[in-house]
Amino acid sequence: MSLLDAARDVRERAYAPYSNFKVGAAVRSKSGTIFQGCNVENAAYPEGTCAEAGAIAAMIASGETELVEVCVIADAETPVTPCGGCRQKLAEFGKGEVTVRMATLDGPEMTMTLAELLPGAFHKSQMDRS
């Protein structure tokens, strides 16, 4: 299964009864394993979980800690980028050159690196003096 197919597949299982905006994400770890995540909303609306965070959590739960490729898909007119919080989460586990592929159900796509999505990302090394 390709990364795009994995993201498209898991998007169908998103829990989005409030926004009706389903998002699927898939990350490929350094070992080549694909992990999926979808958005999960709840009645305390801002407390939901993004698809990218779900995919990262699945990767971490399996014992892996580095991602090398990301794909996000949503039913939108133009490709949807990860939110600011998810950009920082992706940067925690991926290097700046990691490719992030953003797709729509209708075909338009956009590809950027993590560094392009989050210039000036906050990194653990900045806390070295703590």
Side-chain angles (χ1 to χ4, degrees):
M1 179 180 287
S2 74
L3 208 59
L4 179 60
D5 288 338
R8 185 183 308 277
D9 174 65
V10 74
R11 181 194 161 275
E12 293 301 319
R13 296 189 297 278
Y15 181 76
Y18 305 101
S19 71
N20 293 312
F21 189 70
K22 294 181 174 187
V23 180
V27 300
R28 185 181 318 277
S29 68
K30 190 174 181 179
S31 74
T33 304
I34 293 175
F35 298 94
Q36 299 169 294
C38 58
N39 58 318
V40 179
E41 297 175 351
N42 70 55
Y45 194 61
E47 297 303 316
T49 303
C50 294
E52 300 89 337
I56 290 167
M59 180 185 75
I60 297 300
S62 80
E64 298 204 45
T65 58
E66 186 176 347
L67 57 87
V68 297
E69 189 179 5
V70 179
C71 184
V72 181
I73 190 168
D75 186 12
E77 208 171 292
T78 58
V80 176
T81 60
C83 73
C86 284
R87 293 176 194 205
Q88 184 64 48
K89 288 175 182 77
L90 291 166
E92 180 75 15
F93 301 103
K95 296 180 172 80
E97 65 272 7
V98 165
T99 300
V100 180
R101 180 180 181 186
M102 296 149 285
T104 69
L105 295 182
D106 297 330
E109 292 188 19
M110 179 171 59
T111 302
M112 299 176 76
T113 65
L114 276 178
E116 290 170 325
L117 277 172
L118 187 62
F122 182 76
H123 294 283
K124 181 182 177 185
S125 64
Q126 292 171 298
M127 299 187 294
D128 285 347
R129 292 178 62 177
S130 298

